[in-house]
């Protein structure tokens, strides 16, 4: 288990073999009811490893979510997201720009913030049927970079340029929309968001293997109305009820999210320019 008192479970670019499947949970955003629903799934309970691809605690129940994730012990493989990195660096006058993220950072103690700051940006695991799989938050080279299911091939060539040739599968998160895309000889998987889904309520995640290297996008339904009430009751954040109403109820559609994120992948740049 990765804790402030022990070495990280997986260092950047380490390769370890696992045989009975890997569950991928991304962008939990401290929505504990959604996390609990996913962890109760039989395929998650049976998985060898549960890879956490960042933006884990920036949300309404950060301490409770951290405790539940630590309870996974050595099964958890932790990766930093941009929100985790920003929370770890939080200081008076240098708080994360998002009010909920800033509040969540203030709920964590120095050791917990140090732990967030120790998380690796990438981890590579050997997954049966898929070979070495690189896990990251946004892209392999940057934890805020935008790459979407409909990003142009040139964009994908840019963001995958530094990935070792042996890695033919890349798993990312960040944009909260699940997809699988084959590009430049590599399979790219985004499991979507556990805690802040776009398009429909419920928790999105992915399962890799063990059936001959299968990649399965999964969706776990749970009582999101009860979850919103619990968050409002237990969080302590003054904006918790409104935050949950927006994000746990998934009031933003996937189409709206694509429109908002799309310019960030440089799709509107003039030919021959960077972006």
């Amino acid at each position: 288990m990765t804790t402030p008192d022990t070495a990280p479970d997986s260092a950047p670019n380490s390769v370890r073999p696992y045989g009975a499947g890997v569950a991928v949970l991304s962008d939990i955003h401290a929505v504990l009811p959604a996390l609990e629903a996913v962890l109760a799934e039989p395929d998650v309970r049976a998985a060898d490893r549960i890879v956490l691809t960042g933006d884990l605690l920036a949300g309404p129940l950060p301490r409770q979510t951290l405790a539940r994730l630590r309870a996974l012990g050595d099964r958890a493989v932790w990766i930093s997201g941009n929100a985790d990195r920003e929370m770890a660096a939080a200081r008076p006058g240098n708080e994360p720009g998002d009010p909920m993220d800033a509040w969540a950072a203030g709920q964590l103690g120095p050791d917990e913030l140090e732990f967030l700051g120790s998380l690796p940006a990438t981890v590579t695991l050997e997954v049966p049927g898929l070979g070495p799989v690189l896990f990251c938050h946004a892209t392999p080279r940057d934890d805020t970079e935008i790459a979407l299911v409909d990003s142009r091939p040139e964009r994908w060539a840019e963001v995958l340029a530094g990935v070792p040739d042996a890695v033919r599968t890349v798993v990312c998160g960040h944009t909260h929309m699940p997809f699988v895309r084959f590009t430049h000889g590599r399979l790219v998987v985004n499991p979507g968001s556990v805690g802040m889904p776009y398009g429909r309520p419920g928790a999105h995640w992915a399962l890799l293997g063990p059936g001959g290297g299968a990649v399965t996008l999964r969706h776990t339904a749970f009582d999101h109305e009860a979850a919103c009430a619990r968050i409002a009751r237990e969080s302590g954040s003054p904006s918790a009820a409104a935050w949950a109403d927006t994000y746990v109820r998934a009031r933003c559609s996937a189409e709206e999210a694509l429109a908002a994120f799309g310019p960030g992948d440089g799709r509107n740049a003039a030919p021959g320019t960077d972006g």
Side-chain angles (χ1 to χ4, degrees):
M1 175 176 66
T2 305
T3 71
D5 301 318
T6 61
D9 183 74
S10 295
N13 299 320
S14 64
V15 178
R16 291 176 167 85
Y18 301 116
V22 174
V24 187
L25 281 57
S26 191
D27 297 276
I28 297 166
H29 281 282
V31 179
L32 183 60
L35 172 63
E36 290 172 342
V38 172
L39 293 179
E41 289 276 12
D43 285 335
V44 177
R45 293 169 64 89
D48 280 318
R49 289 293 184 267
I50 299 174
V51 181
L52 310 168
T53 55
D55 282 12
L56 307 174
L57 305 181
L61 296 169
R63 294 184 66 90
Q64 301 93 319
T65 300
L66 177 59
R68 185 64 187 88
L69 291 173
R70 281 180 166 167
L72 295 172
D74 291 339
R75 296 176 66 213
V77 178
W78 302 70
I79 295 169
S80 176
N82 61 293
D84 307 305
R85 172 177 52 79
E86 291 163 5
M87 289 173 65
R91 301 291 185 274
N94 186 39
E95 295 86 359
D98 183 278
M100 178 59 81
D101 296 5
W103 176 86
Q107 307 308 299
L108 302 180
D111 288 348
E112 293 163 329
L113 293 172
E114 182 181 355
F115 164 61
L116 282 186
S118 75
L119 299 181
T122 67
V123 169
T124 301
L125 303 178
E126 187 79 22
V127 179
L130 293 172
V133 177
L134 187 150
F135 298 86
C136 59
H137 180 61
T139 73
R141 65 182 187 174
D142 191 292
D143 64 11
T144 62
E145 197 166 38
I146 301 297
L148 301 164
V149 66
D150 63 344
S151 292
R152 67 200 192 287
E154 294 81 5
R155 177 61 164 183
W156 282 107
E158 293 167 0
V159 303
L160 297 175
V163 176
D165 289 342
V167 174
R168 311 315 295 174
T169 303
V170 175
V171 179
C172 56
H174 187 52
T175 56
H176 298 205
M177 290 171 284
F179 68 81
V180 176
R181 173 170 174 168
F182 189 73
T183 181
H184 299 290
R186 290 187 170 96
L187 194 66
V188 180
V189 180
N190 189 320
S193 174
V194 170
M196 292 177 65
Y198 297 139
R200 63 175 173 176
H204 293 270
W205 54 285
L207 186 68
L208 310 184
V215 174
T216 309
L217 297 178
R218 301 289 295 270
H219 174 261
T220 298
F222 61 94
D223 188 340
H224 55 276
E225 298 295 338
C228 288
R230 178 181 173 188
I231 288 169
R233 183 175 65 250
E234 298 181 5
S235 170
S237 165
S239 62
W243 190 97
D245 180 71
T246 297
Y247 295 113
V248 179
R249 289 190 172 95
R251 298 206 182 272
C252 180
S253 71
E255 291 72 27
E256 290 169 330
L258 282 171
F261 282 125
D265 73 358
R267 64 184 60 194
N268 298 328
T273 63
D274 293 335

